[in-house]
């Protein structure tokens, strides 16, 4: 039965592929199934590509392919002289999408912005009480603590009041998790007793309208013909995500014309992709970091000597050669070299199994110990082959007596369990979301992120004091000093082993026009056409 279903799906995609040019259908071979379609609930690119980048918009947004912030659903904004009040002037004439399950009776206005943020801020919000959920990105960034009020000034003006200055506030509102929901649609779901459908049947103001989803198979979208941004709107009639977890299968589908764009190719496949006359590859330095997180809440990882030993035992050069195959550079810091405030003076501890064994003995583990090592089930921009990387780390640790058991879960489950802290060590990574240093240091290692993306569960006051001061200081030179010192502390305390910054390679058909690689590792298909 499963085989028959697979054949039907493949046949459907082949039919769609053969019609792609005539019908204006763009097929994207994606790497995994999204956990849901409510961007506020998630933190990964797989989820954001399928929702925030298609169905939704935000008050501010990033120019496609850039870190530059431009107006979105807000045409302009004012900031008070004390830096604590932001007033957003909303765009008129923006329509929420009409779908099979919702027909709006009004245009986008301030009520929608207030609902979106009150739901994240207020645990007593009626919708949130009916559909209890958490908003990890919002809380990881401390926005739940820092935003004191979101007020409707008039139908097209909204005012945010902060407790303390947030130097990256406008950039933060351009990030996927801040996607604006329809208050009218939420009210309808509440009255019907089906609030959970906000995560299964999304409605937004974005360039594409959600049609249907088959887990592990495909997601279908149609162009939003009423999209407010005519200059940079959808240029194809239909968009299909063909979910294909195996990178070699994605390559074969691209080669066969079953999809026009794909992602995360195996380094070994790149020469063949580049040699194919029908294909092209956009390549650029990745704004990313692949790393191994140590859960400091689990013994014996609470001991610094143990973390230092595990770090020194990993042969990073061998991993770079085997896993990245020339498409990456060794990572020293918890942010890429292109991020402003990057500390160039820091160095990795030398690879030395002998010193690592001595450190373990000093920590009371002369014969090593058993440890869990989690490996991601999907390819990400920062890690093209987590399984191979885990196997190499397992072999390295075996040399110092540490027996690592490799585990994995489906991607959504992997992240969910990791946020609960079930892992000992795990392979994970990050692609920057807004060009600000806090998006690395605060989101990945801050105390506010302990139940979110701080997979090391590391909350260290000297570090925390520096990054909090950095967030509330608007002077770039002063912020740079604070963040450079914070990076030194991370290096000293070893809550992670930094592995690599990978080069991003985006393969596609030569028929694709206007696609821009996001520095944030997201895939946006508005403004993209087929020749």
């Amino acid at each position: 039965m499963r085989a028959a279903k697979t054949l039907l799906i493949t046949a459907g995609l082949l039919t769609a592929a053969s019609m792609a040019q005539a019908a204006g259908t763009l097929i994207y071979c994606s790497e995994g199934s999204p956990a849901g379609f409510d961007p506020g609930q998630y933190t990964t690119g797989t989820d954001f590509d399928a929702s925030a980048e298609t169905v939704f918009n935000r008050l501010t947004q990033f120019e496609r392919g850039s870190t530059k912030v431009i107006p979105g659903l807000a045409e302009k904004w004012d900031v008070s002289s004390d830096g604590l009040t932001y007033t957003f002037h909303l765009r008129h004439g923006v329509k929420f999408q009409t779908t099979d399950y919702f027909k709006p009776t009004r245009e986008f206005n301030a009520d929608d912005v207030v609902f979106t943020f009150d739901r994240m801020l207020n645990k007593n919000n009626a919708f949130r009480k009916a559909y209890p959920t958490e908003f990890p990105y919002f809380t990881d960034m401390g926005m739940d603590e820092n935003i004191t009020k979101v007020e409707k000034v008039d139908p097209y003006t909204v005012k945010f009041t902060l407790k303390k200055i947030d130097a990256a506030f406008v950039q933060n509102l351009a990030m996927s998790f801040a996607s604006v929901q329809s208050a009218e649609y939420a009210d309808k779901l509440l009255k019907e007793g089906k609030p959970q459908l906000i995560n299964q049947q999304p409605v937004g103001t974005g360039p594409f309208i959600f049609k249907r989803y088959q887990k592990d198979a495909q997601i279908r979208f149609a162009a939003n013909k009423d999209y407010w941004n005519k200059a940079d709107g959808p240029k194809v009639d239909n968009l299909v995500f063909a979910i294909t977890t195996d990178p070699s299968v994605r390559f074969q589908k691209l080669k066969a014309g079953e999809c026009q764009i794909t992602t995360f190719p195996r380094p070994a496949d790149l020469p063949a992709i580049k040699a194919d006359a029908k294909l092209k590859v956009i390549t650029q330095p990745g704004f990313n970091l692949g790393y191994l997180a140590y859960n400091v809440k689990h013994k014996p990882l609470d001991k610094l000597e143990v973390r230092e030993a595990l770090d020194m035992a990993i042969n990073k050069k061998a991993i770079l050669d085997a896993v990245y195959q020339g498409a990456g550079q060794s990572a020293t810091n918890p942010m890429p070299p292109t991020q402003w405030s990057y500390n160039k003076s820091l160095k990795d501890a030398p690879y030395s199994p002998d010193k690592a064994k001595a450190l373990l003995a000093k920590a009371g583990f002369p014969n090593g110990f058993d440890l869990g090592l989690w490996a991601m089930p999907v390819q990400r921009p920062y890690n093209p082959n987590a399984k191979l990387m885990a196997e190499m780390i397992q072999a390295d640790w075996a040399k110092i007596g540490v027996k690592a058991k490799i585990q994995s879960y489906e991607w959504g489950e992997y992240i969910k369990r990791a946020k609960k802290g079930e892992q000992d060590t795990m392979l994970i990574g990050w692609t920057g979301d807004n060009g600000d240093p806090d998006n690395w240091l605060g989101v990945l290692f801050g105390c506010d992120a302990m139940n979110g993306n701080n997979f090391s569960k590391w909350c260290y006051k000297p570090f925390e004091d520096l990054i909090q001061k950095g967030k509330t200081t608007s002077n770039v030179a002063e912020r740079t000093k604070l963040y450079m010192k914070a990076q030194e502390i991370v290096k000293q305390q070893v809550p992670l082993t930094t592995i690599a910054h990978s080069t991003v390679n985006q393969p596609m058909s030569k028929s694709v026009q206007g696609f821009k690689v996001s520095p944030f590792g997201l895939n946006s298909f508005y403004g993209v056409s087929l020749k």
Side-chain angles (χ1 to χ4, degrees):
M1 193 70 186
R2 184 178 292 174
K5 184 178 177 183
T6 304
L7 284 170
L8 283 170
I9 290 167
T10 305
L13 288 172
L14 279 166
T15 303
S18 63
M19 292 168 61
Q21 197 163 326
T25 296
L26 176 64
I27 303 174
Y28 165 57
C29 278
S30 65
E31 80 290 354
S33 294
F37 295 89
D38 175 3
Q41 294 189 44
Y42 303 107
T43 62
T44 79
T46 304
D47 301 306
F48 293 153
D49 285 351
S51 57
E53 295 303 303
T54 48
V55 178
F56 293 96
N57 292 123
R58 290 147 291 286
L59 289 173
T60 59
Q61 63 190 45
F62 293 107
E63 187 175 69
R64 254 186 338 121
S66 167
T67 60
K68 180 184 176 184
V69 177
I70 59 174
L73 293 176
E75 288 185 307
K76 59 182 180 178
W77 50 91
D78 309 313
V79 186
S80 62
S81 57
D82 63 4
L84 296 177
T85 304
Y86 287 74
T87 304
F88 291 90
H89 305 279
L90 307 183
R91 196 176 293 278
H92 289 247
V94 175
K95 296 179 180 179
F96 274 100
Q97 298 154 356
T98 296
T99 69
D100 296 339
Y101 44 87
F102 176 67
K103 290 180 172 54
T105 64
R106 62 164 178 82
E107 293 181 343
F108 157 78
N109 65 30
D111 292 331
D112 304 304
V113 179
V114 171
F115 165 74
T116 297
F117 288 92
D118 187 67
R119 178 179 164 229
M120 293 193 279
L121 278 168
N122 177 13
K123 291 192 175 181
N124 291 315
N125 176 286
F127 193 91
R128 185 165 175 181
K129 286 182 85 171
Y131 175 46
T133 189
E134 296 304 318
F135 301 94
Y137 223 136
F138 190 68
T139 52
D140 282 4
M141 302 180 77
M143 295 179 83
D144 58 327
E145 297 291 335
N146 198 30
I147 298 173
T148 59
K149 278 189 293 186
V150 182
E151 302 169 90
K152 174 183 175 179
V153 177
D154 63 44
Y156 287 93
T157 312
V158 178
K159 185 165 74 173
F160 287 73
T161 305
L162 310 184
K163 275 185 195 169
K164 55 189 179 183
I165 292 170
D166 183 346
F169 189 67
V170 170
Q171 290 100 304
N172 293 344
L173 293 185
M175 292 164 60
S176 299
F177 76 90
S179 295
V180 175
Q181 298 274 1
S182 163
E184 185 186 12
Y185 178 49
D187 190 50
K188 172 181 180 285
L189 294 178
L190 204 53
K191 286 173 180 171
E192 292 172 352
K194 299 175 181 176
Q196 71 280 2
L197 291 183
I198 201 167
N199 194 29
Q200 298 164 34
Q201 296 179 337
V203 171
T205 57
F208 293 97
I209 299 169
F210 174 85
K211 287 296 185 183
R212 65 179 183 272
Y213 169 47
Q214 293 168 277
K215 186 174 168 59
D216 299 329
Q218 62 174 251
I219 316 168
R220 301 192 75 91
F221 304 92
N224 180 2
K225 302 297 185 184
D226 292 324
Y227 189 53
W228 56 269
N229 189 346
K230 302 303 179 189
D232 203 20
K235 298 197 181 324
V236 291
D237 295 328
N238 302 288
L239 173 65
V240 178
F241 281 34
I243 299 163
T244 312
T245 56
D246 188 322
S248 57
V249 176
R250 289 199 297 271
F251 170 41
Q252 292 304 321
K253 285 185 174 183
L254 181 69
K255 197 173 177 183
E258 291 182 44
C259 54
Q260 289 79 48
I261 303 178
T262 187
T263 192
F264 311 140
R266 293 189 313 163
D269 288 334
L270 283 170
I273 296 171
K274 290 174 180 176
D276 192 314
K278 296 177 293 181
L279 306 178
K280 61 184 176 182
V281 181
I282 301 176
T283 299
Q284 68 183 43
F287 193 55
N288 61 41
L289 168 71
Y291 66 94
L292 176 79
Y294 301 111
N295 185 346
V296 302
K297 298 292 184 188
H298 285 199
K299 292 182 180 300
L301 298 169
D302 57 332
K303 293 195 173 189
L304 176 58
E305 293 94 342
V306 169
R307 301 195 300 271
E308 288 176 322
L310 294 172
D311 177 68
M312 293 178 77
I314 296 172
N315 187 342
K316 284 167 62 170
K317 185 183 183 305
I319 288 173
L320 275 169
D321 291 343
V323 176
Y324 293 88
Q325 299 180 26
Q329 66 183 100
S330 182
T332 303
N333 294 8
M335 58 170 66
T338 49
Q339 173 65 65
W340 64 266
S341 81
Y342 179 87
N343 192 332
K344 294 178 183 176
S345 68
L346 298 179
K347 299 283 185 287
D348 269 341
Y351 166 61
S352 176
D354 290 338
K355 287 183 181 176
K357 285 183 82 169
L359 276 170
L360 281 188
K362 183 182 172 186
F365 299 96
N367 301 313
F369 52 86
D370 293 348
L371 194 64
L373 170 57
W374 287 19
M376 299 177 303
V378 296
Q379 292 76 37
R380 302 301 302 147
Y382 47 75
N383 191 333
N385 192 336
K387 182 175 181 289
L388 174 59
M389 189 184 291
E391 288 166 352
M392 294 181 75
I393 292 171
Q394 181 187 49
D396 286 340
W397 284 349
K399 293 171 187 171
I400 62 168
V402 173
K403 301 177 188 68
K405 181 184 178 184
I406 297 174
Q407 296 168 265
S408 193
Y409 300 95
E410 180 271 327
W411 182 229
E413 189 71 10
Y414 186 87
I415 295 296
K416 184 178 172 184
R417 285 174 177 260
K419 285 179 178 173
K420 289 179 182 175
E422 294 181 20
Q423 73 284 7
D424 290 331
T425 68
M426 68 181 292
L427 289 172
I428 192 66
W430 193 250
T431 297
D433 282 315
N434 66 9
D436 193 86
D438 183 70
N439 187 240
W440 301 91
L441 301 177
V443 171
L444 301 183
F445 307 105
C447 297
D448 286 334
M450 285 279 283
N451 296 316
N453 288 303
N454 184 345
F455 296 116
S456 301
K457 308 301 175 187
W458 181 69
C459 177
Y460 188 65
K461 191 174 186 305
F463 172 84
E464 186 69 16
D465 290 346
L466 289 167
I467 63 166
Q468 288 301 334
K469 192 174 178 185
K471 277 183 79 171
T472 57
T473 305
S474 54
N475 183 290
V476 172
E478 179 61 25
R479 294 186 80 204
T480 296
K481 286 180 191 173
L482 293 165
Y483 291 133
M484 287 179 76
K485 180 64 179 171
Q487 290 166 72
E488 286 178 26
I489 292 176
V490 172
K491 211 65 190 165
Q492 290 159 6
Q493 293 297 314
V494 202
L496 80 163
T497 290
T498 52
I499 305 285
H501 309 294
S502 74
T503 302
V504 172
N505 292 289
Q506 192 94 36
M508 63 192 72
S509 163
K510 283 187 176 173
S511 65
V512 174
Q513 306 292 306
F515 184 89
K516 295 185 180 180
V517 175
S518 163
F520 308 127
L522 299 172
N523 290 286
S524 305
F525 300 102
Y526 57 95
V528 179
S529 62
L530 293 169
K531 186 168 65 176

